[in-house]
Amino acid sequence: MKIAFIGLGNMGGGMAANLVKAGHEVSAFDLSEEAIARARENGCTTFGTVREAVQGVDAVVTMLPNGNIVRSVLTNDVIGHAPEGVLILDCSTIDVATVREMIDAATAAGYEMVDAPVSGGIAAANGGNLTFMVGGTDSAFARAQPVLEPMAKAVIRAGEAGAGQVAKMCNNMLLAAHMVGTCEAMKLAERNGLDPQKFYEISSKSTGYCWSLNDYTPVPNVGAASPADNDYNGGFAVALMLKDLRLAMAAAEASGARVPLGRKATEIYEEADKAGLGGKDFGSIFTTL
């Protein structure tokens, strides 16, 4: 297929490269000249505007920072400019209301669209091991699968429009709470004289098992390899986790859901961001305890 890829940042750049590796022709755009240069090195054809990139394509993938940018790009440069009937896949993490608004607008204009946010981080984006949570009709999902599979370890239909975003914000709220709990437990063990490596060996095989402990250990040189071993560089930034938590808190307020642990986790990540850890991996919460 010929696929337009809009947004070539830390996640999008690797995702676009994997589409090229799978044999697709990728027309790429980003505001960053550095990102554009990397895309060219990875085999993408690059363009100076979104409207140029979406000409003659079979599908359009967007991976953008927030809902306002997604709305602007889709409304001004994709809908009405990409060929009618193409599939639009928004892989950004944005609020549910905006993605449903965009899916309605795309459908009214003769397009099919899915929301397909991802879980996995930069390494998974580069390695083609992302999990995609997809919201949209059965027919749109069927069309989305061959586009997403070269970038994925799993492609799961969550439900109708917006369901992918609901799954993403709930998943990341749970992950944030898991990481805080993991960091607190490991710091408590350390402060009471238990070797963190020994605690890891015990808890990772006991009921404390979770991904944050077993697969992404937030203590340097303990357990699984993670950004903690590199001064918390790389991985999933505190600022990005905070963005996802704020989306979850807004959804909780709108729906009347009670999420006390989610709210506490949000407060903790807000404090870390204010303390200058916004660019560090979210496991750096360990250093604040």
Side-chain angles (χ1 to χ4, degrees), residues 70-83:
V70 170
R71 181 187 289 108
S72 176
V73 168
L74 292 184
T75 301
N76 297 324
D77 299 305
V78 176
I79 296 172
H81 298 280

Side-chain angles (χ1 to χ4, degrees), residues 179 211 216-218 226-239 241 269 272 277-287:
M179 181 57 81
W211 185 85
Y216 208 82
T217 316
S226 76
D229 304 324
N230 187 33
D231 193 28
Y232 299 97
N233 292 312
F236 187 52
V238 164
M241 177 58 85
Y269 282 98
L277 292 175
K280 294 288 190 177
D281 179 73
F282 77 117
S284 64
I285 291 297
F286 180 78
T287 67

Side-chain angles (χ1 to χ4, degrees), residues 197-219:
Q197 178 63 34
K198 285 299 177 185
F199 175 72
Y200 167 82
E201 291 173 10
I202 293 165
S203 192
S204 65
K205 295 178 178 63
S206 303
T207 51
Y209 169 97
C210 67
W211 185 85
S212 295
L213 174 67
N214 285 56
D215 301 296
Y216 208 82
T217 316
V219 181

Side-chain angles (χ1 to χ4, degrees), residues 126-141:
N126 292 336
N129 295 312
L130 295 167
T131 295
F132 288 86
M133 301 155 254
V134 186
T137 64
D138 284 330
S139 64
F141 177 71

Side-chain angles (χ1 to χ4, degrees), residues 12-84:
M15 292 164 68
N18 282 317
L19 288 174
V20 174
K21 290 175 186 176
H24 297 299
E25 181 182 346
V26 178
S27 302
F29 172 81
D30 195 276
L31 292 173
S32 164
E33 287 297 328
E34 183 180 346
I36 286 289
R38 282 199 307 268
R40 281 196 294 267
E41 291 173 2
N42 290 328
C44 300
T45 302
T46 60
F47 292 86
T49 67
V50 174
R51 293 186 186 186
E52 291 174 308
V54 302
Q55 295 304 304
V57 299
D58 303 300
V60 178
V61 179
T62 51
M63 189 65 168
L64 299 166
N66 60 57
N68 288 335
I69 296 174
V70 170
R71 181 187 289 108
S72 176
V73 168
L74 292 184
T75 301
N76 297 324
D77 299 305
V78 176
I79 296 172
H81 298 280
E84 187 174 342

Side-chain angles (χ1 to χ4, degrees), residues 169-170 173 247-260 263:
M169 70 181 182
C170 293
M173 184 182 76
L247 289 173
M249 294 308 99
E253 185 172 349
S255 62
R258 185 171 176 270
V259 288
R263 292 199 181 281

Side-chain angles (χ1 to χ4, degrees), residues 2 16 57 70 77 83 91 97 99 119 132 139 157 161 167 194-195 235 281:
K2 185 175 182 180
V57 299
V70 170
D77 299 305
C91 296
V99 80
S119 176
F132 288 86
S139 64
R157 181 171 182 257
L194 178 60
D195 181 353
D281 179 73

